[in-house]
Amino acid sequence: MKTFLSFKFWTLLVCCCWTTQAEIFTSISQMTDLIHTEKELVQSLREYIEAEETKLSTVKSWANKLDALTKVSTSDPEGYLAHPVNAYKFMKRLNTEWSELETLVLQNPSDGFIANMSTHRQYFPDEEDETGAAKALMRLQDTYQLDSEAFSRGKLPGMHSNALLTVDDCFDMGKTAYNEADYYHAVLWLQQALKQLDAGEEAVVSKADILDYLSYSVYQMGDLPRAIELTRRLVAIDSSHQRAGGNLRYFERLLSKQLSEMNQEHQPASEEPIQLGTYSRPKDHLPEREAYEALCRGQGLQMNEARRSRLFCRYKDGYRNPHLLLKPMKEEDEWDSPHIVRYLDFLSHEEIEKIKALAKPRLARATVRDPKTGVLTTANYRVSKSAWLEGEDDPVIDRVNQRIQDLTGLTVDTAELLQVANYGVGGQYEPHYDFSRRPYDSNLKVDGNRLATFLNYKDEPDAFKRLGTGNRVATFLNYMSDVEAGGATVFPDFGAAIRPRKGTAVFWYNLFKSGEGDYRTRHAACPVLVGSKWVSNKWIHERGQEFRRPCGLTEVD
């Protein structure tokens, strides 16, 4: 018999050395590998279909042949069997050929496909990944002030695509938010699902289900008149709905009570469709949320002509470093105070690809240091995967480290390993400090620009004490990819936004020369709207810099 589907052992993802835990959505790189896996599974599925069709064709051929034989044999059974050849073939058919047919029917061509699925399923996204990706869309929606229809129709800033969301997709988005008690986003996405369904789009989910979730979410947002109107629509569709009738009576009593207490008359629900801005977005833990997100959108930038006149470009030879004398690096000022510079052509394309290749097998969910315990942990405000590379891994890492030292004049002997990060769906790192913070000192002098935002001071243990290398004195950040939209590095305290440019690097000091933290350097990586963002960074520490960057005369020099 023909083997209908061969079993294939694919090692594409196994070579990536992934763990089976979730968080695939936090790295575009690992999601890219799954694209290729899905293509192979589609091919496996086509082989299964072909095998089923071949099997069915063979069974049909048997059925047609046996149908013709039985028509002849049943017309005159005795006469048919009277011929010795017919008698022999009849015995053979019942003893052998029907057994072969039984074996054929019992064969399961899906075995190979199921085996392939089982091999790869351990690397598939899970419920946490799906929820994380949904939350990422909502985060992008908030940061870049995009309504649900923009996502649903693939109309993102600067691009149009056929990546559309169906009624069922929008409903699932709304339900994800609903299950998280995030009624603000639930309303936006459920309303979009209802809008597309009312426009005649086909869907698996029923209008009654959408209205059920939407009416309660609107009630949770405090809009009783609209909640009543939506619930009445639900009752009109399904009068026997187990919750609709009770909810409607409850909403009506509650509204009547509120109107009575405020001595107001009933006003009909607004006929304006629910959209971005209909309801206020709830406040969260981040005090500078509005300023941060505005900078991500390119709004609220504090660059002006006076400041721009103080920015220059120059050739940097690293204080006449022998490595840079013949080929100095191009340096551009990005900001005057605190001083932030960008280096052009810092990494070549070949170096970037090598660093990415080294990092990919080691990528793991990026962590942050808990300010209370000092322990590294994952957090929703940092969505990316990172890997740490050292000079022993490849000569390219040694070259990059040496280049950083040559340019900055700071030793990297006490610096942390080179960290490589890849941002996933809506990948971001909300406003944070790179340095370890001390308790707020009211006697700390303020000189020039704002030294700090008081709300952001936190009592934090010495996070780097175990390293024995002091605090993070400076940050050197390499951009290893261009990003189509989003992904800027922003500084909310003084209103700066730095856009990723492949091959360039930016550098700033986190500490004053006195060792005190420069709280103005609180910064963030904006969510990636479109594209894949790769960066690498080197955190340079205090120890070993005593003569390379001597103390100043004041605390804020």
Side-chain angles (χ1 to χ4, degrees):
M1 297 295 292
K2 180 181 177 181
T3 302
F4 289 102
L5 193 62
S6 61
F7 181 78
K8 296 180 179 179
F9 290 96
W10 294 323
T11 59
L12 172 67
L13 297 182
V14 176
C15 291
C16 291
C17 303
W18 289 2
T19 59
T20 57
Q21 69 182 67
E23 301 172 347
I24 295 171
F25 77 96
T26 62
S27 169
I28 291 293
S29 173
Q30 293 185 340
M31 291 173 67
T32 301
D33 291 335
L34 282 176
I35 290 286
H36 300 297
T37 297
E38 186 176 41
K39 182 179 180 181
E40 293 189 6
L41 287 176
V42 169
Q43 179 59 34
S44 179
L45 181 60
R46 291 192 179 280
E47 291 175 6
Y48 160 64
I49 293 170
E50 182 181 347
E52 286 282 18
E53 289 174 343
T54 302
K55 172 184 171 180
L56 187 59
S57 176
T58 306
V59 173
K60 282 182 177 178
S61 176
W62 273 86
N64 292 335
K65 182 180 74 171
L66 293 170
D67 186 47
L69 285 171
T70 53
K71 283 182 180 178
V72 173
S73 63
T74 55
S75 64
D76 181 10
E78 288 189 9
Y80 177 80
L81 293 174
H83 197 293
V85 172
N86 286 342
Y88 164 72
K89 293 185 72 173
F90 180 56
M91 292 299 101
K92 178 186 176 184
R93 199 159 57 244
L94 291 177
N95 180 54
T96 304
E97 295 180 6
W98 274 99
S99 296
E100 291 177 358
L101 180 59
E102 180 184 24
T103 301
L104 173 63
V105 171
L106 288 174
Q107 277 189 357
N108 190 352
S110 68
D111 287 344
F113 174 69
I114 296 301
N116 288 330
M117 281 289 294
S118 299
T119 300
H120 291 89
R121 183 173 291 280
Q122 60 183 315
Y123 305 111
F124 276 16
D126 60 11
E127 192 71 28
E128 183 181 342
D129 284 299
E130 184 177 344
T131 299
K135 287 182 177 179
L137 288 190
M138 298 172 202
R139 181 164 57 249
L140 293 172
Q141 184 177 28
D142 294 337
T143 304
Y144 299 104
Q145 294 186 344
L146 303 170
D147 60 27
S148 302
E149 186 163 13
F151 276 107
S152 179
R153 299 308 177 199
K155 299 177 182 177
L156 298 182
M159 71 175 300
H160 290 271
S161 75
N162 57 358
L164 308 179
L165 293 174
T166 64
V167 172
D168 295 300
D169 292 331
C170 293
F171 175 74
D172 288 339
M173 286 284 295
K175 195 173 176 182
T176 296
Y178 182 95
N179 291 336
E180 297 279 329
D182 178 5
Y183 301 108
Y184 171 77
H185 289 107
V187 166
L188 293 175
W189 286 100
L190 292 169
Q191 172 66 26
Q192 182 61 29
L194 184 61
K195 180 180 179 180
Q196 291 179 211
L197 192 65
D198 285 341
E201 187 177 316
E202 294 184 358
V204 174
V205 65
S206 68
K207 183 178 288 190
D209 282 340
I210 297 175
L211 287 168
D212 186 19
Y213 282 94
L214 179 57
S215 59
Y216 187 77
S217 298
V218 168
Y219 156 69
Q220 286 289 345
M221 292 304 296
D223 191 347
L224 275 171
R226 201 188 296 261
I228 291 171
E229 186 267 332
L230 290 168
T231 309
R232 284 174 178 165
R233 286 183 63 183
L234 173 55
V235 171
I237 293 172
D238 184 1
S239 58
S240 61
H241 193 281
Q242 60 178 356
R243 288 184 301 277
N247 284 352
L248 180 58
R249 289 188 294 272
Y250 174 73
F251 295 159
E252 289 175 337
R253 285 198 305 270
L254 193 58
L255 179 60
S256 177
K257 180 181 178 182
Q258 288 182 1
L259 293 174
S260 176
E261 290 174 350
M262 293 184 293
N263 197 25
Q264 295 179 354
E265 293 187 2
H266 175 68
Q267 298 292 329
S270 172
E271 294 183 3
E272 289 292 320
I274 299 172
Q275 55 190 356
L276 202 67
T278 299
Y279 302 119
S280 298
R281 181 175 156 201
K283 299 291 183 183
D284 66 3
H285 65 281
L286 199 61
E288 70 263 62
R289 170 72 64 189
E290 291 183 7
Y292 152 58
E293 292 183 349
L295 288 170
C296 290
R297 296 191 297 272
Q299 302 168 358
L301 299 175
Q302 298 302 310
M303 180 61 70
N304 51 44
E305 288 305 317
R307 172 166 281 117
R308 190 173 284 108
S309 68
R310 297 194 292 271
L311 304 181
F312 300 94
C313 58
R314 62 192 71 81
Y315 284 102
K316 179 81 169 180
D317 63 8
Y319 310 101
R320 300 196 59 77
N321 187 290
H323 295 138
L324 296 171
L325 280 177
L326 295 180
K327 190 180 179 182
M329 191 72 66
K330 287 177 274 190
E331 181 184 82
E332 294 179 349
D333 290 333
E334 285 283 351
W335 205 260
D336 56 344
S337 180
H339 193 206
I340 303 174
V341 297
R342 187 196 293 263
Y343 297 108
L344 307 187
D345 303 318
F346 181 80
L347 293 177
S348 68
H349 173 74
E350 292 72 23
E351 287 173 327
I352 288 172
E353 291 305 306
K354 184 62 178 180
I355 293 171
K356 285 164 64 174
L358 291 169
K360 280 182 179 180
R362 312 180 189 189
L363 288 175
R365 178 71 184 268
T367 56
V368 296
R369 199 170 294 278
D370 188 301
K372 295 182 178 178
T373 65
V375 176
L376 291 174
T377 183
T378 60
N380 292 329
Y381 57 83
R382 188 180 190 185
V383 181
S384 65
K385 283 194 172 181
S386 61
W388 298 86
L389 302 179
E390 52 187 320
E392 298 175 358
D393 294 323
D394 192 273
V396 71
I397 308 301
D398 266 335
R399 289 202 304 272
V400 170
N401 289 339
Q402 184 63 51
R403 199 174 302 155
I404 292 172
Q405 179 167 301
D406 293 341
L407 264 178
T408 63
L410 302 174
T411 181
V412 296
D413 291 343
T414 56
E416 295 175 46
L417 301 181
L418 186 70
Q419 180 183 226
V420 182
N422 178 231
Y423 290 79
V425 183
Q428 64 158 5
Y429 193 177
E430 288 183 354
H432 62 282
Y433 302 101
D434 280 351
F435 60 91
S436 174
R437 289 151 345 259
R438 299 184 178 93
Y440 175 64
D441 181 0
S442 60
N443 296 317
L444 194 62
K445 296 178 182 178
V446 176
D447 189 8
N449 199 354
R450 284 179 296 164
L451 178 62
T453 301
F454 177 77
L455 285 172
N456 297 333
Y457 278 103
K458 291 183 179 178
D459 189 355
E460 182 184 62
D462 188 349
F464 310 113
K465 186 175 182 179
R466 64 180 180 81
L467 297 179
T469 55
N471 212 341
R472 288 173 175 169
V473 66
T475 295
F476 199 98
L477 176 63
N478 303 305
Y479 293 116
M480 302 201 303
S481 66
D482 293 313
V483 180
E484 287 89 327
T489 304
V490 298
F491 295 78
D493 193 76
F494 50 88
I498 300 174
R499 307 293 172 187
R501 284 157 55 191
K502 183 178 178 179
T504 69
V506 292
F507 172 76
W508 68 85
Y509 283 103
N510 298 308
L511 306 179
F512 293 108
K513 290 183 177 180
S514 63
E516 292 294 337
D518 186 346
Y519 283 81
R520 298 172 298 173
T521 61
R522 182 171 169 87
H523 60 285
C526 294
V528 176
L529 181 56
V530 181
S532 177
K533 181 181 176 183
W534 282 90
V535 298
S536 60
N537 62 276
K538 193 78 172 175
W539 280 309
I540 303 170
H541 282 247
E542 291 177 290
R543 297 296 177 264
Q545 321 301 348
E546 292 84 355
F547 298 104
R548 294 171 182 259
R549 191 185 187 231
C551 288
L553 298 178
T554 70
E555 291 175 323
V556 292
D557 280 349

